[in-house]
C-alpha cells in the first residue's frame, strides 16, 4: 500500500532520478529528440512498411509476410546478395577490427609528431571521399592498368585480365579495397582509449607477475578499454554489413552475374531508381537490421571474455 501511495504522489524512482539530475537530462534532451526522430522512428516505420506494398504514390496496403516470403523463396538475387554480404562481414569485419586494434597499439608506442603523422597516414584513406577510386587505375581491364601492366611485364599473364568483369575476381578485390579503407573511426577510438589508460596499472601488473607485452595487452590494456572496444566493434560491424558504394563504383550495379551484389545494393535497387517498391525495400532493410543486431550481440558476448 505504501508503494502504491508513493507512486500516486509522483515519487516513482525514475521520476525522482529525473528531478535530481534534471540539468543533465535537459542538456541531453536535444540529442535524444533528434535520435528518436531521425533514427528510432524511421527504423520502426521501416519495420511497419515491410509488411505492406507501398509505391510512394498510393497508400500502403497490408500484405502480411508476402515480402519476406518473396525474399527467401523467389528472389534469387537477394540470396546472392545475402551470401556476398555475409562473406564480406565474416572476412572484413574481424580482420579490419584486428587491424584497427593492432595498428593503434603499435602507433601508440610512438610519441609526439611521429604518432600524429602515422595516425594520419593510416586514417587518410577512410576520410578521403572517393579514395577507393584510385583502385580503378590499379585494376583497369586494359594493359595500362597498374596490376595488368605489372603481371604482363613479369610474364605471369599473356593478355590483360578484365578484373571486375570476371566473376571470380570481384569479391576478392572488393574485400581488399574494403580492408584498405577500414582504418576509420574505430581506429581513432582505439588510439584514444590506449592513451587514457593509467600507466600505474602496468606497474601493478608487473608486480603481480605479468611477464611480457602480450600478457600485458590481454590482462591490462584490453580490459581497461572495453568501452572503446565495443564502440569500435559496432563501427566495424556497420561498415562490413553496409558495403555498397565500393561495389557500385568498382563492379557496377548490377555487377557481372551479380557477383558484387550486397544487401544494400539490392535495397537501393528496389528503394530508388525506377522501382520505388518501398514495402519490399523495407523488408530488405529489416533483414539487414536484424543481421547487424545478431552480430552485435555475438560481439558483446565475445568481448565480455576479454581479460579472463
Amino acid at each position: 500500500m505504501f508503494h502504491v501511495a508513493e507512486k500516486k504522489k509522483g515519487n516513482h524512482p525514475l521520476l525522482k532520478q529525473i528531478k535530481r539530475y534534471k540539468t543533465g537530462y535537459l542538456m541531453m534532451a536535444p540529442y535524444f529528440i533528434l535520435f528518436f526522430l531521425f533514427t528510432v522512428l524511421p527504423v520502426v516505420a521501416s519495420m511497419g512498411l515491410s509488411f505492406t506494398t507501398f509505391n510512394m504514390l498510393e497508400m500502403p496496403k497490408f500484405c502480411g509476410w508476402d515480402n519476406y516470403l518473396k525474399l527467401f523463396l523467389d528472389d534469387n538475387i537477394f540470396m546472392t546478395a545475402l551470401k556476398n554480404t555475409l562473406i564480406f562481414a565474416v572476412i572484413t569485419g574481424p580482420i579490419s577490427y584486428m587491424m584497427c586494434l593492432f595498428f593503434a597499439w603499435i602507433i601508440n608506442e610512438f610519441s609526439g609528431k611521429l604518432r600524429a603523422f602515422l595516425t594520419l597516414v593510416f586514417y587518410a584513406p577512410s576520410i578521403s571521399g572517393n579514395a577507393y577510386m584510385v583502385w580503378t587505375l590499379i585494376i583497369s581491364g586494359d594493359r595500362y592498368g597498374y596490376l595488368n601492366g605489372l603481371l604482363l611485364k613479369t610474364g605471369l599473364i599473356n593478355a590483360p585480365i578484365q578484373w571486375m568483369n570476371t566473376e571470380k575476381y570481384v569479391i576478392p578485390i572488393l574485400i581488399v579495397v574494403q580492408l584498405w579503407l577500414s582504418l576509420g573511426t574505430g581506429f581513432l577510438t582505439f588510439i584514444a582509449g590506449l592513451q587514457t589508460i593509467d600507466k600505474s596499472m602496468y606497474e601493478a601488473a608487473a608486480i603481480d607477475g605479468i611477464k611480457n607485452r602480450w600478457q600485458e595487452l590481454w590482462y591490462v590494456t584490453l580490459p581497461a578499454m572495453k568501452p572503446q572496444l565495443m564502440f569500435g566493434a559496432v563501427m566495424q560491424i556497420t561498415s562490413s554489413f553496409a558495403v555498397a558504394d565500393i561495389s557500385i563504383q568498382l563492379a557496377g550495379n548490377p555487377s557481372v552475374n551479380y557477383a558484387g551484389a550486397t544487401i544494400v545494393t539490392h535495397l537501393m535497387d528496389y528503394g530508388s531508381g525506377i522501382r520505388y517498391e518501398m514495402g519490399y525495400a523495407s523488408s530488405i532493410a529489416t533483414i539487414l537490421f536484424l543481421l547487424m543486431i545478431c552480430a552485435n550481440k555475438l560481439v558483446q558476448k565475445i568481448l565480455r571474455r576479454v581479460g579472463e
Side-chain angles (χ1 to χ4, degrees):
M1 293 294 293
F2 175 76
H3 291 295
V4 174
E6 188 179 73
K7 289 183 179 179
K8 287 183 179 180
K9 292 179 181 180
N11 291 326
H12 191 278
L14 178 60
L15 294 177
K16 291 175 66 176
Q17 184 179 4
I18 292 175
K19 289 179 181 179
R20 182 178 180 182
Y21 301 106
K22 60 181 179 181
T23 303
Y25 282 104
L26 286 174
M27 294 181 69
M28 291 189 294
Y31 169 79
F32 280 121
I33 293 172
L34 293 174
F35 180 76
F36 177 80
L37 290 177
F38 296 104
T39 301
V40 177
L41 193 60
V43 169
V44 174
S46 178
M47 288 182 175
L49 287 174
S50 69
F51 296 98
T52 68
T53 55
F54 180 40
N55 60 9
M56 297 187 69
L57 296 177
E58 302 173 319
M59 290 295 293
K61 297 178 182 178
F62 181 75
C63 65
W65 295 96
D66 289 354
N67 288 331
Y68 293 97
L69 292 175
K70 180 181 176 182
L71 268 179
F72 291 102
L73 299 179
D74 296 331
D75 194 342
N76 294 329
I77 299 174
F78 172 75
M79 298 308 296
T80 300
L82 178 61
K83 181 191 72 174
N84 291 341
T85 301
L86 291 177
I87 291 173
F88 266 107
V90 170
I91 296 177
T92 64
I95 293 178
S96 61
Y97 185 77
M98 296 305 296
M99 285 173 56
C100 288
L101 181 59
F102 178 74
F103 286 118
W105 185 45
I106 295 298
I107 290 174
N108 188 62
E109 296 300 312
F110 297 95
S111 59
K113 295 182 179 179
L114 181 57
R115 180 171 58 196
F117 174 74
L118 291 174
T119 301
L120 178 61
V121 168
F122 282 93
Y123 183 59
S126 67
I127 60 172
S128 300
N130 293 341
Y132 54 82
M133 293 303 293
V134 301
W135 285 85
T136 58
L137 298 175
I138 298 174
I139 60 175
S140 177
D142 53 35
R143 63 177 56 250
Y144 300 105
Y146 294 163
L147 184 55
N148 274 334
L150 178 62
L151 295 176
L152 287 169
K153 187 175 181 180
T154 55
L156 295 176
I157 60 175
N158 297 320
I161 298 175
Q162 299 294 320
W163 297 105
M164 301 312 292
N165 290 325
T166 306
E167 187 175 349
K168 65 179 180 179
Y169 295 127
V170 173
I171 286 294
I173 290 175
L174 293 179
I175 287 174
V176 170
V177 177
Q178 177 68 14
L179 290 174
W180 180 67
L181 293 168
S182 63
L183 297 183
T185 306
F187 170 65
L188 292 183
T189 303
F190 292 155
I191 290 180
L194 288 166
Q195 293 180 15
T196 58
I197 298 175
D198 188 355
K199 302 302 180 183
S200 63
M201 295 175 63
Y202 296 112
E203 298 174 3
I207 295 173
D208 289 338
I210 296 296
K211 298 179 180 179
N212 55 58
R213 294 301 302 276
W214 295 108
Q215 289 182 338
E216 185 181 272
L217 175 66
W218 181 254
Y219 292 109
V220 181
T221 304
L222 296 183
M225 51 182 293
K226 278 189 177 181
Q228 290 84 3
L229 292 177
M230 189 65 239
F231 178 78
V234 171
M235 298 303 296
Q236 296 306 121
I237 289 171
T238 302
S239 62
S240 61
F241 274 100
V243 175
D245 289 342
I246 295 173
S247 177
I248 292 172
Q249 295 297 331
L250 298 183
N253 190 24
S255 54
V256 55
N257 292 331
Y258 296 96
T262 65
I263 293 180
V264 177
T265 62
H266 199 51
L267 168 63
M268 294 170 64
D269 185 29
Y270 278 90
S272 59
I274 60 175
R275 295 179 185 265
Y276 288 108
E277 298 182 22
M278 301 305 294
Y280 193 67
S282 295
S283 65
I284 298 173
T286 301
I287 295 298
L288 179 61
F289 176 73
L290 294 176
L291 284 174
M292 289 185 176
I293 292 295
C294 292
N296 188 36
K297 292 295 183 182
L298 177 62
V299 170
Q300 285 183 0
K301 186 176 181 179
I302 294 173
L303 289 180
R304 289 193 193 101
R305 303 186 64 179
V306 170
E308 295 182 358

